[in-house]
Amino acid sequence: MIEDGVIDVATGDSVRLQVDKDVITSCEMGAGEHLAIFRNRFAPAGMDIDAALAAGTPRLCLVTGIHGDELEGQYLCYEVARRIREHPEYLTGVVDIYPALNPLGVGAISRGIPQFDLDMNRIFPGNNAASPYESMAADVVASLTGATLVVDTHASNIYLREIPQIRVNETVRDRLLPWALEAGADFVWVHADATVLRGTLAYSLNARNTPTLVLEMGVGMRITQEYGEQLAEGFFNLMRRAGAWTGPVAPVRRPIVSTDGQVSFLNAEAAGLFVPVARHDHGVKKDQLIGNILDPADGTVLQELRSPVDGLLFTLREYPIVYPGSLIARVLGMNGEA
């Protein structure tokens, strides 16, 4: 039944689910068009949500689509919503899904906001007295602030493929690491504060004492279904940990935890065609061949790229055309913290 934007879903034994689709911010555009960012809110039927949240009921937020060419999070959102709908009787908290913070970018397959070449993840926390997009960013931050946990989901770009990983700023390591270990990722990368851009959503929310994990996986403009399913299990594990889910949860893998000092970078020294030899998401040995940069015209190998350490190949070049300085791979050294 659909009534006033609220959908009640009956699933037997009179168990029902409350789903509210809310516009959290909007602005008028040219030619009479209207831009809106919305969320889907899932809660047990009959819950007075405002009163419940004020009383401490847990709220978990799943956010994606800040970059329009990062689609991996779309499938994760689908899986989480689908599983909640299948078993609403287990939902004891509030789950907010924000499927596209940059809907114009998603529609145009553009990383930034189209026409403005603006990276939305550089304008947070926003400003309601500034441009329309900065005002919308401020509304997004206001909507998320105070959540029990926010999972900010990204994919890689079209050039690189990443294993499911969570990136944590070292300044909030103690607060975020207990959550990160339960999220179902393969790898938790604790990185230096100097590498964090202060205009990001995660930085802005963590600065407001709203715990926010940055989740990255897969490759740009694609869906890696197994990653989405793996991390959906992780999200339900987080829900259970927060007290928002009472249903059974599959065991999640314990990730490797590492810092910047344990990650080695391989970059191209020549322009050419990169052809991988090693397999992504597999262990490699020191001096093992990762791949070659080839000269298609001359039929020669311009550069052999070999692993500098024993470790895990967690980033690998996906797009074959490279130039000097192009990132080819990242390897996590085996001295990573288990």
Side-chain angles (χ1 to χ4, degrees):
M1 180 176 116
I2 300 177
E3 181 178 336
D4 296 329
V6 178
I7 305 173
D8 291 331
V9 182
T11 59
D13 298 327
S14 298
V15 176
R16 301 173 72 83
L17 178 67
Q18 187 178 173
V19 185
D20 299 288
K21 184 174 181 179
D22 302 315
V23 173
I24 61 167
T25 184
S26 64
C27 71
E28 297 300 326
M29 301 179 64
E33 295 178 317
H34 185 75
L35 174 63
I37 297 174
F38 73 90
R39 74 176 176 202
N40 261 23
R41 167 164 283 180
F42 294 81
M47 174 184 280
D48 183 331
I49 296 175
D50 291 337
L53 292 177
T57 294
R59 174 168 73 108
L60 287 87
C61 301
L62 180 58
V63 177
T64 192
I66 290 178
H67 295 133
D69 60 350
E70 298 178 0
L71 304 178
E72 299 278 10
Q74 300 289 314
Y75 188 75
L76 174 58
C77 288
Y78 161 78
E79 271 296 291
V80 169
R82 180 186 68 80
R83 296 183 193 194
I84 290 174
R85 285 182 178 278
E86 282 188 353
H87 291 287
E89 68 272 20
Y90 296 139
L91 185 64
T92 53
V94 176
V95 174
D96 288 339
I97 294 179
Y98 298 71
L101 291 193
N102 176 12
L104 288 179
V106 172
I109 321 177
S110 167
R111 177 177 176 82
I113 297 172
Q115 297 182 339
F116 297 92
D117 195 26
L118 178 64
D119 188 336
M120 189 176 189
N121 213 27
R122 302 295 182 268
I123 61 174
F124 291 106
N127 184 343
N128 285 121
S131 69
Y133 293 112
E134 289 176 281
S135 180
M136 294 178 80
D139 290 341
V140 168
V141 169
S143 174
L144 292 165
T145 296
T148 307
L149 180 70
V150 176
V151 179
D152 176 20
T153 308
H154 294 262
S156 187
N157 52 38
I158 64 170
Y159 301 103
L160 301 168
R161 179 175 292 277
E162 303 277 3
I163 67 172
Q165 61 195 262
I166 291 173
R167 298 181 180 181
V168 174
N169 182 348
E170 63 182 3
T171 62
V172 289
R173 170 184 173 139
D174 292 343
R175 180 156 48 121
L176 294 185
L177 195 55
W179 291 107
L181 294 175
E182 302 293 332
D186 296 326
F187 172 39
V188 176
W189 188 353
V190 181
H191 54 73
D193 184 46
T195 65
V196 177
L197 293 170
R198 301 197 173 208
T200 64
L201 177 64
Y203 184 92
S204 299
L205 289 173
N206 280 315
R208 286 160 174 73
N209 295 315
T210 298
T212 303
L213 298 175
V214 176
L215 172 63
E216 185 159 337
M217 58 174 161
V219 66
M221 299 188 186
R222 298 291 184 272
I223 295 293
T224 309
Q225 188 172 345
E226 59 268 31
Y227 287 172
E229 292 168 355
Q230 171 185 333
L231 292 163
E233 296 288 357
F235 192 81
F236 278 92
N237 195 51
L238 294 172
M239 288 170 60
R240 188 177 178 90
R241 184 179 188 276
W245 185 256
T246 61
V249 175
V252 297
R253 63 192 71 192
R254 182 174 176 82
I256 299 169
V257 180
S258 183
T259 64
D260 282 327
Q262 295 156 335
V263 174
S264 298
F265 295 75
L266 284 78
N267 295 88
E269 297 175 358
L273 184 72
F274 173 69
V275 178
V277 174
R279 293 182 62 188
H280 182 238
D281 196 10
H282 279 64
V284 292
K285 296 293 185 181
K286 183 176 181 180
D287 295 326
Q288 180 177 334
L289 186 64
I290 301 297
N292 296 305
I293 297 177
L294 311 178
D295 185 328
D298 287 348
T300 56
V301 176
L302 300 173
Q303 182 185 356
E304 293 183 344
L305 293 114
R306 297 184 178 273
S307 177
V309 294
D310 294 347
L312 173 67
L313 182 61
F314 72 93
T315 303
L316 186 61
R317 184 81 178 185
E318 179 82 7
Y319 189 76
I321 302 300
V322 300
Y323 298 94
S326 295
L327 180 61
I328 302 298
R330 286 187 283 233
V331 180
L332 172 64
M334 291 303 291
N335 61 339
E337 179 184 335

